[in-house]
Amino acid sequence: MKLTCPRRPLTNSRFHSKPITSYPPKRVSLDDDDKKETQFIDTLQNIVRGKQSWKVALNDAVLSTTLKPHHVEKVLIQTIDDSRLALRFFNFLGLHKNFNHSTASFCILIHGLVRNNLFWPATSLLQTLLLRGSNPKEVFDALLDCYKKCGFSSSLGFDLLIQYYVQQKRIFDGVAIYRLMKENNLLPEVRTLTGVFNGLVKIRQFELVLELYHETIDAGTLPDIYIFTAVMKSFCELKDFVRANEMIHYMDSNGFVLNVVIYNVLIHGLCKSQRVFEAVEIKNSLMKRGLKADVVTYCTLVLGLCKVQEFEIGVGLMNEMIELGFVPSEAAVSGLVEGLRRKGKIVDAFDLVNKVGRVGMLPNLFVYNALINSLCKQEKFDKAKFLFNEMGRGGLSPNDVTYSILIDSLCRRGEMDSAVSFLGKMADAGIKATIYPYNSLLSGHCKLGNLSAAESFFDEMIDKRLTPTVITYTSLISGYCNEGELHKAFRLYHEMTGKGIAANTYTFTALISGLCRANKLTEAIKLFDEMVEHSIIPNEVTYNVLIEGHCKEGNMVKAFELFNEMVGKGLVPDSYTYRSLITGLCTDGRVSEAKEFMDGLHRVQHKLNEMCYSALLHGYCKEGRLEDALSACREMVERGVNVDLVCYAVLIDGSLKQHNRESYFSLLKEMHDRGLRPDNVIYTSMIDASSKSGNLKKAFKLWDIMVDEGCVPNVVTYTALINGFCKAGLMDKAELLCKEMLASSSLPNEITYGCFLDRLTKEGNMEKAIQLHNVILEGLQANTVTYNILLQGFCKMGKFQEATELLSGMMDNGILPDCITYSTIIYQYCRRGNLLEALKLWDLMLDKGLKPDALAYNFMIYGCCVGGELNKAFELRDDMMRRGLKPNQATNNALYHVTCSK
């Protein structure tokens, strides 16, 4: 690149003056027409310079009809020494005579006004001329012709032309005029050229900037700092940093005073090209050059560092500039805050906003909202609320998005009153609410089970003409399903689809979950199939809900089929999935298989949580395998899984049921050493164990300790003590405790009432038992268990007729008999030798999908043996063993004796 500035002479009319000659220059012999022409012009000149009214003088009919543009041109030339007078005459003719001036008249007057430094009227006149639609070349030629003929000394009229084109964003026309000037040995002022260069930079004509720069140097014009800056920008935009540095060296070595602006241009270019650390080095070298970095330098570097994700260095520079007293730009603050936020450094972003806020600068609203949202997601709501308050103090007004974020966060935290308060603040601020805050409020109330409030907000939303979305409906549907109100959930589902709003994965999952919770697995499977038919893809939660449903039904084959299908579709099972399968296997009496399944998961690096282990521990304890449970607990610790209160509760309950005092005390000590205190579940287990063992004194002592520890007794705790009193025959104390229970707002359940029923039936007080059961029935708390207690009571007293009538009444009340119900009646039929009725009841039980337990099989096999149905007895024995159940000793003896007798 040639950066030298050659000193080639260039003729420029600004640097010498020519005398203004009269026009025409010399009078020779004139004929009559010429004399008349001269006399006419003299007359006009006298009118212009005289004191007579122009309006009166120029109103002469002969004069008006004779006046032509060339006459005006000559008068303007002769009057140019008083350019203001000439301009008045020019404007008078245009305004009062509708005179059509020639282009030459415009040009004469423009040059004349410029010569007298009357730039504003000259510019106005030029704009009027250009409105006539002449092209740049025509206007230039007209200006040049007048310039030469009149011998004007200033070429600034041409500058005005260039400046006009630059202002009108006709940069190429400006360049064309500049080049025409050079061809005619004229040069514009440097400030005019600066406008051209900057205009070209704005439209990204960087190559043309460099081309024009060389032309300027060759023409002998010395560029100013602004032209050099434009050239520097062009080098940087073209990523030619070698020549950019050469430019700085050229300026420095040729005595140009360099300022920080030129370096800022280079720094900006390097940052834009992601050569940020080179830019930082230039900033650090400014001190050696006697310059200081300014706010632009720092902000440019911060934004550059954000671009290459060097946010920590950016924070350092931001702190440095604040210490120097600079106020960072909104863009720099926003870029840095957003970068830190995206990188997960939410607290650092918050601290930065807090720091720059003290010097009066905040990030833009988008970044502010994003940071508040991130703080809310990280449960740092206090910091989010602090930023919200700072927004108002800093003059940044929160918008509907800001309020929606805060309302949603409050709803997720269950702080519904505060969320509603923010909705009110939003209205007070004049911000129109959208569907989003209402969706959050609906979801929050539904999750808390406050469906009436959710319905109220739904109605309010409709009143405000906000259109519900699938999210709106799904929140309500999920709320109804959680509360067991499936009819309302499906009514809303049909309303939604009827309005053309398509259900999504979450809608179907909520409905399937509700059906599974209501033990309507068949309907849940049907809905799942419908979901797939509609091409709505089930997610992990959908599969988890169905897997859990099958596990509860004991259908582990189907549960594992769904598990494999889930994995095959690329969905990732979680602890909820594994817990359901482990619990299902344990409930099905397959604890060893559950343990093998867990070991297999560990081998493939699937980390299980406390809930999965508590299910296994519960399975072991239920089977009385306490040592295996304790061994699994030790293994759990070795695998880095925390033993929580639930696990301890399961193990302590297991120890108490096995009467293993050593394990019981060891577990309590271990809990204490870990800083854990028994909760109401553990205390209830201990109270229940003492109560069942007849040690009511110890049970009451544990009760007192529990209350002192701040654990509130629940219905299970009360029931455990009531059961102990009932078994001990202390019915008065049991009733007194029941009244205390009612006073504490802890309502008795069917198990509590069952304790009283059980005692009454054992005492043979069936009349009082029936009275109590009727009360339970009226309170809708009667269930299969309470009926079974009464049935067993009647059967024990030999009142079989009353027992069969009670069974009939049970079904009339919509309460379904279970295996125990049928077994009780079957046993009585067998005792009475009525095998035919026993077999009928057995088949009815099987038809209802009930699976007989070992006791039921033993009763039925014994009955068949007594009734002489040996083949049926052995058939039942084989079926029993296929199901993993073993006949008891009495059954085996009966089969043996019958076989021997045959």
Side-chain angles (χ1 to χ4, degrees), residues 400-401 404 423 426 431-439 461 466:
D400 62 306
V401 177
S404 296
L423 186 69
M426 187 177 179
I431 300 169
K432 189 178 179 182
T434 61
I435 190 72
Y436 304 107
Y438 277 98
N439 280 347
M461 188 181 77
L466 295 172

Side-chain angles (χ1 to χ4, degrees), residues 517-555:
R517 215 177 280 120
N519 297 318
K520 296 183 176 182
L521 188 59
T522 306
E523 290 93 328
I525 294 166
K526 185 179 176 183
L527 194 62
F528 179 81
D529 294 338
E530 183 184 324
M531 177 184 183
V532 175
E533 283 171 16
H534 283 84
S535 300
I536 296 169
I537 301 168
N539 61 14
E540 288 89 347
V541 180
T542 321
Y543 276 101
N544 284 347
V545 165
L546 268 181
I547 287 169
E548 186 182 35
H550 283 292
C551 289
K552 283 181 178 177
E553 289 280 314
N555 192 346

Side-chain angles (χ1 to χ4, degrees), residues 707-724:
V707 173
D708 289 342
E709 288 287 330
C711 293
V712 180
N714 57 21
V715 62
V716 183
T717 321
Y718 276 104
T719 301
L721 266 180
I722 287 169
N723 185 46

Side-chain angles (χ1 to χ4, degrees), residues 126-140 159-178 192 195-200 202-203 205 208 212:
L126 178 63
Q127 289 174 357
T128 306
L129 172 62
L130 292 171
L131 288 173
R132 291 184 167 194
S134 302
N135 64 49
K137 178 73 167 57
E138 291 171 347
V139 177
F140 176 81
D159 282 66
L160 291 183
L161 183 58
I162 294 174
Q163 290 166 15
Y164 172 80
Y165 285 131
V166 170
Q167 287 167 4
Q168 296 299 308
K169 295 183 171 51
R170 294 169 59 178
I171 309 299
F172 295 113
D173 289 337
V175 173
I177 299 298
Y178 167 58
T192 303
V196 174
F197 275 88
N198 288 329
L200 289 169
K202 283 180 183 176
I203 61 172
Q205 291 293 317
L208 185 53
L212 209 61

